[in-house]
Amino acid sequence: MNKPEVVMMGLGYIGLPTAALIAQNNTHVHGVDINPKVVETINAGKIHIIEPELDLAVANAVKGGFLKAAISPKKANTYLIVVPTPFKGKNEPDISFVEAATKAVLPLLKENDLYIIESTSPVGTTEKMMGLIYSQRPELEGKLFIAYCPERVLPGNVMYELVHNDRVIGGVNQASTEKAVAFYKRFIKGELHKTNARTAEMCKLVENSSRDVQIAFANELSLICDKADINVWELIALANKHPRVNILQPGCGVGGHCIAVDPYFIVSDYPMESQIIGKAREINNYKSFWCAEKVQTAKLQFEIQHGRKPSIAIMGLAFKPNIDDLRESPAKYIAQKVLQNANNEEYFIVEPNIHEHKVFKLTPYQDAAEKGDIIVFLVAHKEFKTLKLKKDKMVLDFCGVLND
Ligand SMILES: NC(=O)c1ccc[n+]([C@@H]2O[C@H](COP(=O)([O-])OP(=O)(O)OC[C@H]3O[C@@H](n4cnc5c(N)ncnc54)[C@H](O)[C@@H]3O)[C@@H](O)[C@H]2O)c1
């Protein structure tokens, strides 16, 4: 391969599609991942994650010589950091992967290079990394371009959204912002909005916190309506007839690796100020616990009414409808909690989007709906909407699948 122009640190759900997109534009990308299996797979022109159209993009990029993977970086002009930013301890953001990736590229940096973090990061991370770089390479101080540009793609539609979504780009100074904008302009059709690094970092966290708070409002309504004997879905549909009201739908909690995670990056740094954001996390977590308790109560009611133990169908494990992703899934949490409380009842666990699971024995959704006495809807998968349930079933619909 020619000397790479771009080094991509991290070849996961975001880094690999981004690397493929850049390579598709005839730009040489040196992709780096600490996982040798990932490197081997990509260099064979294959992919290790599920994402539509990514397989072809990677195969072409590797075949055309524009994408090559390795376990360590090389000299280039632009360095993108797209590594995980998980939790540690009590919901504290862990930026050690960003730090490690930065340390790996540090010795390679030269004057006029562009360094961009895309990983979802606590406010101040880009400045912190700038401090780290300049402490080790003082001769480069003020001579690099350093920026933050968060990613907001939807898994399942990444290859389209990478190109067409608007992006927020914030440099540590004006020149860095301009340089980063010029870089992304080569690959992205969406609008590129300029700001500073701190605002761009906060923007990503706020987007997901905003969704979390709005869902918490809907979930809180569902708890109130349950006590008040009101159908929450009918209520929300009616309230949304107001021209300036738009309440989201309640569910069995909030999951996934973004909305259920990113708000903690704000709460942990601004605990006194982020009252609603913190409370929203609590409400959405509590909703899952409440659903599990409701199942427990329904079991007891059934036993009193029928003089025998019920069979229970748990419908859905994914963190949202029509996907196979169980990360941080509230439905999975509820299923686990319900099974922990099992007392010789029969359980049918359903997830139509996966074939098998290492913990749960899965049952086809039609069989579970037929055999279960209590049908617990946790995820509004499209398959469940087609079910014709017998009248004698006890139904707990936590996701409004029957109200569509
Ligand atoms: N997946 C999404 O939908 C999504 C959306 C928006 C933002 N993000 C953010 O993007 C970032 C990356 O997420 P992802 O989903 O791609 O993660 P991922 O876990 O799929 O991929 C990260 C990759 O980085 C590699 N890695 C770890 N440390 C490394 C290092 N020091 N050097 C090189 N490679 C290293 C890992 O082996 C892994 O393959 C995270 O901050 C995430 O919050 C993700």
Side-chain angles (χ1 to χ4, degrees):
M1 197 214 257
N2 297 350
K3 183 176 161 295
E5 187 181 333
V6 175
V7 160
M8 173 69 64
M9 299 297 286
L11 295 170
Y13 281 94
I14 301 298
L16 183 56
T18 307
L21 169 69
I22 296 171
Q24 269 175 348
N25 285 273
N26 296 347
T27 300
H28 288 98
V29 182
H30 180 79
V32 179
D33 204 290
I34 49 171
N35 183 341
K37 273 204 183 127
V38 168
V39 169
E40 201 181 303
T41 308
I42 294 168
N43 283 336
K46 301 207 167 69
I47 59 175
H48 61 293
I49 50 177
I50 298 175
E51 181 59 45
E53 295 171 32
L54 179 62
D55 47 356
L56 196 60
V58 169
N60 286 341
V62 171
K63 204 165 142 208
F66 284 100
L67 174 61
K68 184 154 176 40
I71 52 166
S72 50
K74 264 185 167 180
K75 266 198 163 76
N77 304 328
T78 298
Y79 297 84
L80 288 164
I81 310 292
V82 197
V83 294
T85 38
F87 286 156
K88 62 176 181 196
K90 205 171 170 286
N91 297 330
E92 306 257 323
D94 176 3
I95 60 163
S96 62
F97 293 89
V98 173
E99 243 164 39
T102 303
K103 281 183 181 158
V105 301
L106 230 159
L108 305 170
L109 293 172
K110 58 185 180 337
E111 209 174 315
N112 288 329
D113 279 354
L114 175 61
Y115 162 100
I116 302 172
I117 303 177
E118 286 201 4
S119 298
T120 303
S121 301
V123 173
T125 302
T126 311
E127 288 167 352
K128 212 179 249 175
M129 291 307 113
M130 177 173 72
L132 174 67
I133 293 168
Y134 289 151
S135 71
Q136 308 284 312
R137 303 284 311 275
E139 77 282 9
L140 288 177
E141 183 141 12
K143 295 177 183 160
L144 296 175
F145 299 97
I146 297 177
Y148 181 77
C149 178
E151 190 45 73
R152 35 162 78 134
V153 290
L154 183 72
N157 198 26
V158 170
M159 294 313 285
Y160 177 85
E161 294 203 1
L162 263 183
V163 177
H164 293 94
N165 285 356
D166 283 13
R167 299 286 287 260
V168 172
I169 301 176
V172 292
N173 51 35
Q174 187 68 31
S176 295
T177 307
E178 297 296 342
K179 181 97 170 174
V181 166
F183 172 73
Y184 283 106
K185 228 182 213 152
R186 291 164 53 192
F187 320 107
I188 290 176
K189 296 199 173 114
E191 227 177 290
L192 304 175
H193 303 273
K194 298 175 196 172
T195 182
N196 58 46
R198 295 176 72 81
T199 309
E201 288 163 342
M202 185 63 106
C203 190
K204 170 69 190 171
L205 304 180
V206 161
E207 287 162 14
N208 285 335
S209 301
S210 155
R211 301 278 297 161
D212 199 44
V213 168
Q214 290 177 60
I215 298 167
F217 182 70
N219 277 336
E220 184 163 290
L221 287 183
S222 73
L223 303 178
I224 295 168
C225 286
D226 185 70
K227 263 211 170 138
D229 196 20
I230 290 169
N231 179 323
V232 69
W233 284 280
E234 184 192 355
L235 172 82
I236 290 173
L238 292 171
N240 283 348
K241 298 288 177 202
H242 184 293
R244 283 167 297 282
V245 171
N246 185 17
I247 303 170
L248 300 185
Q249 301 297 300
C252 68
V254 168
H257 47 286
C258 287
I259 300 182
V261 174
D262 298 353
Y264 289 124
F265 286 27
I266 301 181
V267 176
S268 75
D269 281 346
Y270 308 95
M272 291 308 291
E273 295 77 11
S274 47
Q275 297 292 318
I276 293 181
I277 297 172
K279 199 73 198 164
R281 281 283 66 241
E282 281 176 32
I283 292 167
N284 287 330
N285 287 339
Y286 173 71
K287 182 68 193 286
S288 309
F289 173 82
W290 182 89
C291 292
E293 291 293 298
K294 280 275 171 192
V295 176
Q296 189 67 5
T297 309
K299 274 165 41 181
L300 297 173
Q301 269 173 356
F302 184 96
E303 205 168 336
I304 291 166
Q305 277 170 15
H306 296 83
R308 67 173 172 87
K309 293 211 177 277
S311 54
I312 296 130
I314 304 282
M315 309 294 280
L317 292 175
F319 81 79
K320 65 177 184 176
N322 310 321
I323 60 163
D324 62 356
D325 194 341
L326 309 192
R327 285 183 289 178
E328 310 288 328
S329 170
K332 189 176 78 175
Y333 162 84
I334 294 165
Q336 279 163 341
K337 199 130 187 71
V338 167
L339 290 180
Q340 274 163 14
N341 292 331
N343 186 12
N344 293 320
E345 303 90 3
E346 193 173 7
Y347 288 89
F348 305 105
I349 311 288
V350 172
E351 179 41 70
N353 296 297
I354 55 178
H355 298 301
E356 56 180 2
H357 190 271
K358 57 183 185 304
V359 175
F360 302 109
K361 178 175 173 288
L362 300 177
T363 302
Y365 67 96
Q366 301 96 330
D367 293 357
E370 177 67 32
K371 291 180 188 156
D373 297 310
I374 302 176
I375 315 291
V376 183
F377 287 107
L378 296 177
V379 190
H381 288 313
K382 60 182 186 318
E383 291 83 355
F384 302 163
K385 297 182 186 181
T386 63
L387 286 170
K388 300 253 176 300
L389 294 176
K390 289 201 188 113
K391 288 230 157 41
D392 60 346
K393 305 286 182 191
M394 194 183 245
V395 177
L396 300 180
D397 181 6
F398 295 125
C399 54
V401 70
L402 304 180
N403 275 273
D404 274 7

